[in-house]
Amino acid sequence: MVKQKHVPYLFLLPSLILILVFKIYPIFDGLKESLFAPTFLAGENLFVGFDNYRMLLDDPVFWNSIKVTLYLNVIINPLQIILAFLLAILLNKKIKGIGLFRAIHFIPIAVSMPIALIMWNVMLNPEQGVINTILVAMGFEPQPFLGSKDQAMWVIIMIATWKGVGYWAIFLLAGLQEVPKNLYEAASIDGANKWQQFKNITFQLMKRPLAFVAVADTVANFLLFAPMYVLTKGGPENSTNVLMNESFNSAFIYSDMGRAMAINIVILIILLIVILIEFRFLRAKH
Amino acid sequence: MLALLLFILVGFLIVGCSSNKEVDNTSSEGNDTTSENSNSSESTDPGTVELIWISQQNDERTQPVIDAFEEANPNIKIKKETYPFRQLFETIEVKLGSKTPDVDIIDVDVPLVANYAVKGYLEPLDNYLDPDIKSKWIDSAVEAGSFQGQLVAPPINTSSQVLYYNKTIFEEKGIAPPPNDIEQRWTWDQVVETAQKLTSDNNGDGQTDVFGFSFEQISRPYQILPLPQGLGADQFDEKGIVTDGYTNSALSVEAGQFYYDLYNTWNVSPKIPVEQAKEYFTTGKIAMFIGGTWNVGDFAEADLDYGFAPHPYFEGGEVVTPTGSWHLGVSKNSTKKEAAAKFVEFFTAGDGAKIWFESANNLPAHVDILNSIEEDPKFAEFPANINVLAAYEAANTAVPRPMTPGYLEWESLVNKAYEDIKNGSDPKDALDTAIQQIDRQLKKYESVVK
């Protein structure tokens, strides 16, 4: 007879084991591998201690990748969360045909990432792509888009946001529908205006879903890799060479798994720090 | 607090996904098929052996070769997995890097022979093939397919490039196209001058409709290398692990400047992704096009009125044309090496070589087939006579790509540098940045080139 208090842990056991095997173990394996370097011919890897990390520290390409990754995230995360929140509020309006709008906003989510990226690449073709043709028809100069080191990252931010906002809005919409209507009634009786209602009721009760969306979105964007892989390969002039892209190149082009793993560990550490900060700011008080 | 822990776990979860190498290694499906396969090849009953071939070759073109091989060897089946050009290299890194026995045969781009050999991807084939077999191929291809004196990857073909042109565009503009005559080979100056006349905006919207010139393999070293090589610039030191002072030498930068000018000064070449170049030429948006002999079939299918001429050169410099192509290697971790070597032999030296030449129109590396081009009268007619030109170039003007264990790193980073130059980066800056990255990556090969 299993004691009552052990039962919950038994139910958790299968998922904990899977997490250990497929998530926690690979992290430690990655950590271990980041301490080795390839030697070739002999076939065995050489233990080099923290050399991979030391070499990263005086590698300008790595520092550029840190800069690019942080630049991307400082812009894309607030942008996506604010837009997703606005979209969720709009989708929560009780108007005729809202079901249709909710369906439309779901379309970008349902398109697979590589297909969407290839379609965008065709539309953004600098030589007579659809978007440049529209710009020219409206009297603007044609733009280089992904061919320009000043525009490429913004194009990626635009595409990733187009793809991501609808997804995050779903979580926030679910949160909004949980907010009790009688709170708004009570507030309006007390004479609170729309802004005060939003600030003191909606935002306060939305802290939990917002915290989840903020953290999950941050993780997704730190690991954002498909657009760089499909569209720019990290170029032009390494302006979109995020850490994930550099890690991928190290592993599968430069045959240096140690360097790739060292970069992954750096991403993990940065990510944990950022998430901790986000929790401090979005902790629900109730 | 519990929520915090949970979210950190979520973070771990998602970060964990990025190191999916583990998943590859431990995939139970992979292990199952391995044990099955090794059982079937070990048992006395020959049974059916299935070989897995990782390739970037067009399925339709390889099918006749596979059919003929399977007919001659009913107990061996070939299962081909096809990948796009750049993804092939990554797939090989992932699969062969993990030492999986699930791969038997791989396409080897010839400059990567040394790279794959030092990484222990390729099985030396001297024990599996007839020692006299090497005389079946041209010497340069045998040398390029060998590492430390052992044949590791025999050639399925070699390659050469010509200057194609769209006859309709030339006629409309009343300009004489380049002649198919090696005595009157055009210089790059002539190509650029003509390209400027051919480049036009037909509807006055400020966007170019016809471009004078483009490479088929935009920014890829295979086609770009004749620019620095034609000016006399080496890309590596003798050992093949230092590029500083070579890939960014004054002459290499001069070649980069020429490439820059094509896109940014003379504006005669389109800034398009490499995959779209052929489409642009076949639909009449490009007037002159450096491309491989393999295009002939597709051009006929597209009903294109085209001609071809020899590859251009810099006046006062050497005539240099690209060469080298795909070879086949047997994976060191294959459990069916003998059967795999049989297929490699059939494709590169046996009946398959001829079938392949007829199906894909690549310049053969097989001596007998190469000789037949000179003798057979059917190669005097257009467009089959493209093979005569290609054979001439291969024998007289071809310069192989650099020999180095770090070719994969060099190729990817130089490709990126040329993409940047195409998009308007300063050629010297782009090449300087590239060599810093390359030399840093190539240090790890110091121990294997002593």
Side-chain angles (χ1 to χ4, degrees):
Chain A
M1 177 87 193
V2 188
K3 277 191 187 150
Q4 199 83 53
K5 63 175 182 182
H6 291 148
V7 171
Y9 298 100
L10 277 178
F11 279 113
L12 280 174
L13 200 61
S15 8
L16 283 177
I17 289 175
L18 289 175
I19 287 173
L20 270 174
V21 170
F22 289 107
K23 308 296 168 188
I24 309 293
Y25 166 71
I27 290 174
F28 284 98
D29 192 57
L31 195 61
K32 191 191 99 189
E33 214 161 328
S34 73
L35 307 177
F36 287 82
T39 54
F40 306 109
L41 291 177
E44 285 305 309
N45 282 346
L46 186 73
F47 181 79
V48 292
F50 286 97
D51 271 11
N52 283 326
Y53 294 91
R54 217 168 302 151
M55 277 164 68
L56 281 183
L57 291 183
D58 59 37
D59 184 346
V61 175
F62 169 75
W63 285 110
N64 174 66
S65 292
I66 294 255
K67 200 185 84 192
V68 169
T69 308
L70 293 178
Y71 176 72
L72 167 72
N73 279 281
V74 163
I75 292 165
I76 199 170
N77 289 317
L79 182 72
Q80 287 192 349
I81 293 165
I82 291 169
L83 287 178
F85 203 8
L86 288 176
L87 183 63
I89 291 172
L90 288 179
L91 291 175
N92 199 30
K93 291 267 179 273
K94 301 238 169 345
I95 57 165
K96 212 175 159 194
I98 189 70
L100 180 70
F101 289 110
R102 285 183 189 163
I104 289 173
H105 106 284
F106 204 77
I107 290 173
I109 309 169
V111 183
S112 103
M113 192 69 163
I115 292 170
L117 291 169
I118 287 165
M119 295 307 293
W120 275 107
N121 204 11
V122 172
M123 292 195 288
L124 290 164
N125 188 336
E127 312 288 2
Q128 304 215 334
V130 178
I131 297 180
N132 261 343
T133 304
I134 294 172
L135 285 180
V136 168
M138 286 162 53
F140 294 102
E141 288 283 301
Q143 296 298 316
F145 298 119
L146 294 162
S148 151
K149 66 174 192 274
D150 301 317
Q151 295 180 10
M153 186 56 101
W154 287 96
V155 171
I156 287 177
I157 289 174
M158 190 272 296
I159 296 173
T161 305
W162 166 81
K163 184 99 176 65
V165 160
Y167 180 71
W168 302 118
I170 293 176
F171 295 95
L172 297 175
L173 178 61
L176 282 175
Q177 291 181 340
E178 291 293 305
V179 179
K181 298 287 164 292
N182 54 5
L183 287 180
Y184 293 107
E185 283 166 27
S188 57
I189 290 165
D190 289 343
N193 62 26
K194 284 279 173 207
W195 170 246
Q196 284 168 327
Q197 287 184 18
F198 174 79
K199 200 177 78 173
N200 296 316
I201 303 172
T202 317
F203 185 70
Q204 292 306 324
L205 290 175
M206 285 297 287
K207 271 192 171 178
R208 271 174 198 281
L210 271 176
F212 167 74
V213 168
V215 171
D217 194 25
T218 308
V219 173
N221 286 322
F222 262 92
L223 303 183
L224 193 66
F225 167 69
M228 292 76 179
Y229 178 77
V230 176
L231 299 175
T232 64
K233 299 278 172 207
E237 296 182 19
N238 285 338
S239 61
T240 59
N241 191 28
V242 290
L243 286 167
M244 276 303 289
N245 195 56
E246 189 58 20
S247 164
F248 179 90
N249 287 346
S250 299
F252 302 123
I253 293 172
Y254 312 150
S255 320
D256 193 344
M257 199 55 91
R259 183 173 187 265
M261 287 305 162
I263 295 176
N264 284 356
I265 298 294
V266 171
I267 299 176
L268 183 69
I269 292 168
I270 297 179
L271 203 43
L272 287 177
I273 295 171
V274 172
I275 290 171
L276 277 176
I277 295 172
E278 284 180 340
F279 270 115
R280 284 207 84 85
F281 281 101
L282 284 166
R283 184 180 293 162
K285 291 211 176 67
H286 52 92
Chain B
M1 195 56 214
L2 194 69
L4 177 74
L5 272 176
L6 200 73
F7 281 129
I8 291 176
L9 261 183
V10 171
F12 269 97
L13 275 177
I14 300 171
V15 176
C17 292
S18 64
S19 57
N20 51 13
K21 183 180 139 284
E22 289 305 315
V23 180
D24 258 340
N25 278 342
T26 52
S27 110
S28 61
E29 197 193 352
N31 290 340
D32 285 347
T33 47
T34 324
S35 52
E36 248 175 56
N37 287 338
S38 50
N39 283 344
S40 62
S41 58
E42 274 165 17
S43 60
T44 43
D45 183 332
T48 307
V49 180
E50 189 183 71
L51 298 176
I52 298 186
W53 172 23
I54 295 197
S55 173
Q56 60 82 56
Q57 302 286 359
N58 178 304
D59 283 337
E60 267 173 48
R61 291 176 180 176
T62 52
Q63 202 53 47
V65 183
I66 293 175
D67 289 344
F69 176 76
E70 288 180 347
E71 203 179 300
N73 300 277
N75 60 338
I76 306 176
K77 291 270 168 282
I78 306 292
K79 193 175 161 219
K80 180 167 175 257
E81 289 178 12
T82 311
Y83 297 87
F85 177 76
R86 200 151 293 281
Q87 280 66 31
L88 173 83
F89 303 125
E90 291 159 8
T91 308
I92 288 175
E93 289 307 305
V94 174
K95 295 215 175 194
L96 294 239
S98 74
K99 303 202 188 324
T100 170
D102 290 347
V103 176
D104 303 294
I105 303 160
I106 56 169
D107 276 12
V108 181
D109 193 12
V110 66
L112 291 172
V113 166
N115 182 280
Y116 289 169
V118 301
K119 286 193 259 185
Y121 292 176
L122 298 175
E123 176 74 14
L125 295 175
D126 287 351
N127 298 334
Y128 296 91
L129 304 178
D130 184 343
D132 295 334
I133 201 166
K134 289 181 190 171
S135 63
K136 293 215 175 191
W137 305 297
I138 53 174
D139 291 342
S140 61
V142 175
E143 194 191 328
S146 303
F147 183 72
Q148 296 182 340
Q150 282 196 304
L151 182 66
V152 288
I156 62 172
N157 54 258
T158 182
S159 68
S160 190
Q161 305 292 298
V162 302
L163 179 65
Y164 289 103
Y165 58 89
N166 182 318
K167 278 190 179 167
T168 319
I169 301 176
F170 273 82
E171 273 163 25
E172 273 169 14
K173 301 267 172 183
I175 295 171
N180 178 19
D181 179 354
I182 39 171
E183 299 297 326
Q184 300 179 55
R185 187 189 294 274
W186 272 20
T187 62
W188 278 114
D189 286 345
Q190 281 173 290
V191 171
V192 170
E193 200 182 305
T194 312
Q196 281 173 310
K197 288 183 201 154
L198 294 165
T199 302
S200 61
D201 170 12
N202 296 340
N203 53 11
D205 66 351
Q207 298 197 85
T208 308
D209 295 300
V210 174
F211 290 91
F213 171 80
S214 177
F215 289 97
E216 177 181 10
Q217 301 190 2
I218 297 169
S219 302
R220 282 189 192 156
Y222 170 73
Q223 276 195 349
I224 308 303
L225 264 169
L227 298 176
Q229 286 173 336
L231 293 169
D234 282 333
Q235 299 297 297
F236 276 92
D237 69 333
E238 272 175 18
K239 282 183 172 176
I241 54 165
V242 175
T243 60
D244 191 6
Y246 300 92
T247 301
N248 64 342
S249 67
L251 289 173
S252 294
V253 171
E254 194 183 325
Q257 184 65 42
F258 176 81
Y259 195 68
Y260 174 92
D261 289 339
L262 283 176
Y263 291 92
N264 299 291
T265 310
W266 305 314
N267 299 313
V268 295
S269 297
K271 292 180 179 178
I272 48 176
V274 58
E275 295 82 7
Q276 294 176 20
K278 189 169 171 179
E279 183 74 25
Y280 265 59
F281 181 65
T282 48
T283 53
K285 288 180 183 159
I286 292 171
M288 288 182 283
F289 183 71
I290 288 194
T293 52
W294 54 74
N295 286 309
V296 169
D298 291 337
F299 290 170
E301 221 166 85
D303 235 357
L304 186 70
D305 191 11
Y306 72 97
F308 60 83
H311 192 285
Y313 73 110
F314 283 116
E315 193 161 14
E318 290 259 326
V319 178
V320 172
T321 56
T323 190
S325 187
W326 294 98
H327 290 220
L328 282 182
V330 174
S331 164
K332 202 157 213 158
N333 295 295
S334 163
T335 51
K336 294 155 274 181
K337 294 195 184 91
E338 225 148 272
K342 221 175 203 175
F343 178 69
V344 170
E345 181 180 356
F346 179 84
F347 201 145
T348 58
D351 295 343
K354 200 163 179 344
I355 301 170
W356 175 242
F357 174 55
E358 279 158 13
S359 125
N361 203 56
N362 282 311
L363 185 66
H366 192 287
V367 177
D368 294 347
I369 305 175
L370 209 48
N371 289 340
S372 75
I373 292 177
E374 282 168 28
E375 289 150 16
D376 193 329
K378 81 174 180 206
F379 290 107
E381 282 163 38
F382 182 88
N385 60 347
I386 198 169
N387 292 299
V388 179
L389 173 60
Y392 170 85
E393 301 281 35
N396 297 285
T397 62
V399 175
R401 283 165 277 179
M403 298 284 258
T404 162
Y407 187 80
L408 190 57
E409 291 87 336
W410 183 84
E411 204 268 353
S412 316
L413 290 164
V414 169
N415 175 243
K416 257 173 95 174
Y418 271 99
E419 273 293 289
D420 286 350
I421 294 172
K422 171 184 109 180
N423 287 326
S425 298
D426 177 65
K428 182 154 176 40
D429 289 349
L431 291 170
D432 280 344
T433 312
I435 64 105
Q436 277 172 18
Q437 272 182 279
I438 296 165
D439 283 357
R440 191 172 262 277
Q441 295 304 334
L442 262 48
K443 279 212 177 78
K444 61 180 177 284
Y445 297 114
E446 268 169 0
S447 61
V448 293
V449 292
K450 263 177 218 157

